[in-house]
Amino acid sequence: MKKILWVVFMALTIGILAACNSPQSSGDAEAKNESASKEGAENFPEKPVTIVVHTSAGGPTDLMARELAKAAEPILGEKILIENRPGGSGATQMAGVKSAEADGYTLGTMTPSQIGLIEGTLKEQYSLEDFSWISRTQIDPYVIVVNEKSPFNTLEELVAFAKENPGDLKVGGYGASGSGHNVAWNIFADKAGIEGTWAAYESTGDAVTAILGNHIDVANSNPGQVSQYVDSGDLKVLGVMNDERLEELPEVPTYKEAGFEVDTTWSQFRGIFGPAGMNEEVQSKLSEVFAEAMETEGYKDYMKKTQMVYGSMGHEEYSEYVQKQSDLTKEWYERLGVK
């Protein structure tokens, strides 16, 4: 009798195990996971969201993240924490964002630096498909700046000198050949038909210090980095790489107005990205929240004070924009011989 009961018990056990391992059971498990994922997306967010900044505290990208977080928190309904993780021009932050759970709770700030790394020194480690592109948050236009004592008062005068003295013009900005500032200068120089000797600096602030000290002839900068020195009369802005003049620098012409048909597609932009594989509903919600945050009075005041240009994009449009920026980066890397 005991033997019979033991055989029956074993048969039932094997049947249960077989059922658990059957294709139908596996499908049920997948459906359950998918349902849980969908439920998580519908309830998002249920805890604070962290934005990892790839620069130190106090810089323009850090400030953007903090202002965006402040404006977005009441709309999102959860805290948005800022974590500074500088290193490797964005490489340290990118590694952290890529390895994070794709649940929308870990995001990162981005500038052309990340695209430069993906298409440059880290192209063997990363691709655009490793990330989700959530929102573009602003444009920080490039400007050409000279010392107040410089003989150049217009872009035309600068170009005329450079043509008469090939290679004599010393131009400085953030980053080595292939950096965002360097490419911006080369786009202008290409259209103007001139050359300059590039001086690389560790930050835009260092380049501004160099132009203040007359160590270089020209600096490629951004408005917010030079505005106080323009107001004090120490620096002059000759032109802005933008489709329209800046509200805070109404007397400064765009490159096009000065006679140089420069493609303004290349720009110092900032935005938010996340790891690949994020739920579409979560991406859309974050994108919509950030877009609404950028329309608040607080965020608009910050943009005006820092002389930024409105640049809001949702995640679908932003994804296309990032691809175009990547293509443009590869084109200029090839032209400049950057490997």
Side-chain angles (χ1 to χ4, degrees):
M1 185 66 181
K2 288 182 179 180
K3 288 183 178 180
I4 294 173
L5 290 173
W6 175 252
V7 170
V8 172
F9 172 76
M10 289 300 294
L12 288 171
T13 301
I14 292 170
I16 292 170
L17 289 173
C20 288
N21 290 320
S22 69
Q24 182 176 358
S25 177
S26 178
D28 290 344
E30 289 178 7
K32 185 177 180 180
N33 289 338
E34 185 176 340
S35 176
S37 176
K38 186 175 181 181
E39 183 179 347
E42 290 174 350
N43 296 330
F44 178 86
E46 298 180 295
K47 60 181 181 180
V49 171
T50 297
I51 297 179
V52 183
V53 181
H54 63 285
T55 63
S56 300
T61 302
D62 174 72
L63 181 59
M64 178 277 293
R66 294 179 189 279
E67 290 291 338
L68 183 66
K70 184 167 65 175
E73 278 182 350
I75 305 167
L76 188 65
E78 283 285 353
K79 291 285 292 181
I80 301 178
L81 310 175
I82 304 300
E83 178 185 338
N84 295 90
R85 203 182 297 176
S89 299
T92 302
Q93 176 233 39
M94 284 172 62
V97 172
K98 181 184 176 182
S99 63
E101 290 290 329
D103 53 11
Y105 290 103
T106 301
L107 307 174
T109 55
M110 75 163 294
T111 65
S113 296
Q114 279 82 357
I115 296 178
L117 288 169
I118 290 171
E119 301 303 344
T121 55
L122 299 182
K123 61 185 175 184
E124 301 300 326
Q125 299 177 43
Y126 297 104
S127 70
L128 295 183
E129 289 70 35
D130 289 326
F131 303 99
S132 300
W133 311 102
I134 309 300
S135 298
R136 193 178 76 174
T137 57
Q138 63 185 201
I139 298 293
D140 194 0
Y142 293 113
V143 292
I144 288 178
V145 184
V146 297
N147 192 285
E148 191 279 330
K149 297 178 181 177
S150 168
F152 312 132
N153 292 303
T154 64
L155 286 177
E156 295 91 332
E157 291 176 357
L158 183 152
V159 168
F161 171 86
K163 286 184 175 180
E164 292 174 6
N165 304 273
D168 284 358
L169 199 67
K170 285 192 66 176
V171 184
Y174 170 58
S177 180
S179 69
H181 281 269
N182 175 258
V183 171
W185 163 256
N186 277 289
I187 289 174
F188 169 76
D190 181 62
K191 286 296 182 182
I194 62 174
E195 295 180 5
T197 301
W198 181 257
Y201 291 93
E202 290 297 321
S203 70
T204 304
D206 290 340
V208 171
T209 299
I211 195 69
L212 285 166
N214 266 322
H215 302 301
I216 52 177
D217 302 308
V218 180
N220 196 89
S221 183
N222 304 101
Q225 301 288 311
V226 299
S227 59
Q228 62 177 312
Y229 303 111
V230 173
D231 292 341
S232 66
D234 294 308
L235 296 178
K236 297 181 288 189
V237 179
L238 303 187
V240 55
M241 191 176 182
N242 197 50
D243 292 327
E244 299 177 356
R245 294 192 181 197
L246 302 182
E247 185 177 344
E248 299 301 315
L249 296 170
E251 74 288 354
V252 178
T254 65
Y255 292 174
K256 184 176 181 179
E257 288 176 325
F260 306 100
E261 295 283 343
V262 171
D263 180 8
T264 58
T265 303
W266 184 267
S267 60
Q268 175 73 21
F269 67 91
R270 296 188 179 93
I272 303 295
F273 75 124
M278 288 178 60
N279 181 283
E280 179 68 24
E281 291 181 31
V282 172
Q283 289 190 64
S284 295
K285 181 164 187 177
L286 285 167
S287 182
E288 289 165 7
V289 165
F290 290 144
E292 188 175 343
M294 285 181 262
E295 295 297 332
T296 62
E297 288 304 312
Y299 192 83
K300 286 182 177 179
D301 287 344
Y302 142 72
M303 290 282 285
K304 184 175 181 179
K305 289 176 182 176
T306 53
Q307 301 182 41
M308 301 293 176
V309 173
Y310 185 80
S312 177
M313 276 187 179
H315 78 95
E316 291 182 355
E317 185 182 6
Y318 189 41
S319 297
E320 294 177 4
Y321 176 83
V322 167
Q323 181 61 63
K324 290 177 182 177
Q325 290 295 306
S326 176
D327 294 340
L328 197 55
T329 299
K330 285 187 283 189
E331 176 189 334
W332 274 98
Y333 274 15
E334 186 174 343
R335 292 182 64 172
L336 296 171
V338 177
K339 296 182 180 180

